[in-house]
Amino acid sequence: MRKVTLAMTCLVALALLASCKKDVQPTISIVGGSEYAGQDTEIYSGDQIAVGFNVTGENLTQIAISVEQNGTVLYTHDEALANESAFFYAKTFTIDAIGTVTISGTVTDAKGHTASTSFSIICNEKPNAKFVGHYEGDALITGSYDVDLSNMDPIHEDIENQPFAAFADISAGDNPNEVIASIKINNQTNTVKGIVDGNKVVFEAINDTYNMTYQGFTVPIDMTYNITGTLNNGMLDLEGDCKGIGDINLVFITGTIKLEGIVGGSLSKTE
């Protein structure tokens, strides 16, 4: 009888111990460092971002992340877990947003227990983004041209705000401070690179041909334009300089025309 009682006592004690055993609660922590984003990480809008979380617990069944800005959900992802006790979660995605963005991670176990953590990152607009679009208008040239013809005295003429019809299609370049511009001046299109500095973009030298009418004849002048564009309320204000030279080869006259000037004018952003 004593042995039976002792056995029953042991069983009751084991049952009490089992009932007193606490549930293992899940945990989740942020993985930072050079490979993964953490608190106050700064990125450019539209660029890829990598996040990482370490989770532990008992019979873990799911991890989910969400990305929000001012209550608006920008991105979500979840992954099923096979009753894991530990798991490393990593995900790479893109965010199109400007400002502070909150990234949250939540892990769930088989009993419905959860653990969550979050951090904020800062999304900045790429410097070149504001320039992307189509622009049209006139480049204005103020300067002079000099005509040097055989058997004739040199001729000097001033020009003021002479319009050159122009447009520019600007797209993002290979890095945030670079643009690629397809620029057309007087029916000739050139593709050049531009470097962004704040609201200004400095283009590479643009080589073009200006067909100048002189004494009823068309004289092609090989031009080089050095142009900077400044964004101003939807306008791309132009400044810079230009110079060029063309050969005159007529029946009884030969010579050259040289043109030099400063560049002004504005192009309107249409799209």
Side-chain angles (χ1 to χ4, degrees):
M1 183 73 176
R2 181 185 177 105
K3 291 183 178 180
V4 173
T5 302
L6 182 59
M8 290 182 64
T9 301
C10 290
L11 289 173
V12 171
L14 290 172
L16 288 172
L17 286 173
S19 65
C20 291
K21 183 182 177 182
K22 292 183 179 180
D23 288 339
V24 176
Q25 297 294 319
T27 68
I28 181 169
S29 60
I30 301 163
V31 177
S34 59
E35 294 184 25
Y36 302 100
Q39 181 66 34
D40 296 329
T41 292
E42 294 193 31
I43 67 167
Y44 284 122
S45 176
D47 279 357
Q48 284 192 333
I49 179 173
V51 299
F53 293 97
N54 276 322
V55 297
T56 64
E58 191 173 83
N59 296 323
L60 302 176
T61 58
Q62 186 188 65
I63 180 171
I65 65 168
S66 66
V67 182
E68 297 185 14
Q69 184 180 46
N70 300 325
T72 299
V73 177
L74 306 178
Y75 177 83
T76 61
H77 182 261
D78 60 75
E79 185 170 334
L81 306 181
N83 293 315
E84 306 285 353
S85 59
F87 187 79
F88 170 64
Y89 171 88
K91 187 65 178 176
T92 301
F93 51 91
T94 59
I95 301 175
D96 289 313
I98 304 295
T100 300
V101 172
T102 300
I103 300 175
S104 302
T106 300
V107 61
T108 305
D109 66 16
K111 293 183 178 180
H113 300 142
T114 63
S116 299
T117 190
S118 64
F119 62 96
S120 296
I121 66 170
I122 300 169
C123 296
N124 298 312
E125 182 182 45
K126 291 181 180 179
N128 58 14
K130 64 174 73 75
F131 288 92
V132 173
H134 178 81
Y135 302 80
E136 291 185 2
D138 286 327
L140 303 177
I141 306 299
T142 296
S144 63
Y145 65 87
D146 293 282
V147 182
D148 187 6
L149 301 177
S150 58
N151 302 318
M152 294 181 63
D153 292 333
I155 300 171
H156 176 87
E157 293 287 346
D158 292 323
I159 56 178
E160 183 174 357
N161 289 333
Q162 182 169 335
F164 288 66
F167 77 70
D169 284 311
I170 299 178
S171 58
D174 292 334
N175 65 67
N177 293 303
E178 181 183 285
V179 297
I180 303 299
S182 179
I183 298 177
K184 183 177 182 180
I185 303 175
N186 285 326
N187 299 319
Q188 183 168 334
T189 303
N190 295 273
T191 299
V192 296
K193 183 187 299 183
I195 302 300
V196 172
D197 182 10
N199 283 337
K200 288 190 175 184
V201 55
V202 180
F203 296 106
E204 294 176 327
I206 301 168
N207 297 309
D208 196 5
T209 300
Y210 168 47
N211 292 316
M212 181 177 180
T213 300
Y214 181 76
Q215 299 293 328
F217 297 95
T218 299
V219 180
I221 300 178
D222 294 327
M223 298 289 297
T224 297
Y225 301 89
N226 297 293
I227 297 177
T228 296
T230 302
L231 277 181
N232 183 16
N233 296 322
M235 304 288 290
L236 189 65
D237 296 333
L238 307 178
E239 59 180 331
D241 60 68
C242 65
K243 59 182 178 180
I245 187 169
D247 293 323
I248 300 175
N249 291 292
L250 305 178
V251 177
F252 300 108
I253 302 175
T254 60
T256 59
I257 295 181
K258 293 181 180 180
L259 190 154
E260 293 187 359
I262 59 174
V263 177
S266 297
L267 307 181
S268 299
K269 189 173 184 178
T270 60
E271 59 184 61

